Amino acid sequence: GRLARTSGTSAIVVGHSEDGRKTRVRLPSGARKTLFSKCRAVVGIPAGGGRIDKPVLKAGNNFHKYKVKRNCWPKVRGSAMNPVEHPHGGGNHQHVGHPTTVGRRIPPGRKVGLIAARRTGLLKGGKKVVKGERA
């Protein structure tokens, strides 16, 4: 695989194993990964840092950005569609009109929204810490 190859990113060597066969690397996401020490790497930071700091400003820029990647733009809301195109579509106002949670064994055309949700709504309250134990 390839790690930390996008513009302006870098991975940092955190440490090595006792026998010198494995190396710990911290990725840009903050995750730590163990690699073989014989793996090759390029030293330095790829050019183009700060690319995402500039605002997009117009839809045409996003059009060209996603045209070369994959067909995932623009994203149209289901409630903005017709009922033949999406389960949330239709109605005299743009509203879903029913709970968006659906079961696990629902047919594929209906399976949109919160699929097999264990719970919905706001997360209220924090985790309670028992004395003598760490969370």
Side-chain angles (χ1 to χ4, degrees):
R2 295 176 182 190
L3 306 173
R5 294 278 292 176
T6 54
S7 59
T9 60
S10 62
I12 300 165
V13 175
V14 178
H16 303 284
S17 63
E18 300 273 333
D19 57 355
R21 290 184 178 180
K22 300 267 180 92
T23 300
R24 265 318 256 164
V25 176
R26 191 171 75 234
L27 301 176
S29 63
R32 285 170 170 76
K33 197 171 181 71
T34 305
L35 306 170
F36 289 110
S37 293
K38 291 186 177 180
C39 291
R40 294 190 299 171
V42 177
V43 178
I45 299 173
R51 175 175 51 87
I52 58 170
D53 296 341
K54 181 185 171 189
V56 177
L57 291 180
K58 57 182 191 173
N61 290 344
N62 259 344
F63 170 80
H64 295 293
K65 174 185 169 184
Y66 287 107
K67 189 175 75 165
V68 296
K69 291 172 180 273
R70 67 201 73 85
N71 186 21
C72 65
W73 188 90
K75 278 194 172 82
V76 181
R77 291 170 296 123
S79 59
M81 298 180 187
N82 292 320
V84 294
E85 296 157 350
H86 200 276
H88 294 169
N92 284 340
H93 302 282
Q94 283 191 11
H95 70 295
V96 178
H98 51 79
T100 57
T101 53
V102 291
R104 173 81 65 211
R105 293 170 185 84
I106 291 296
R110 177 72 188 87
K111 201 180 274 189
V112 293
L114 301 166
I115 300 168
R118 289 194 174 90
R119 57 153 299 154
T120 59
L122 296 172
L123 294 171
K124 294 190 176 180
K127 290 183 179 178
K128 293 179 182 175
V129 180
V130 182
K131 284 187 179 179
E133 290 185 22
R134 291 185 197 163

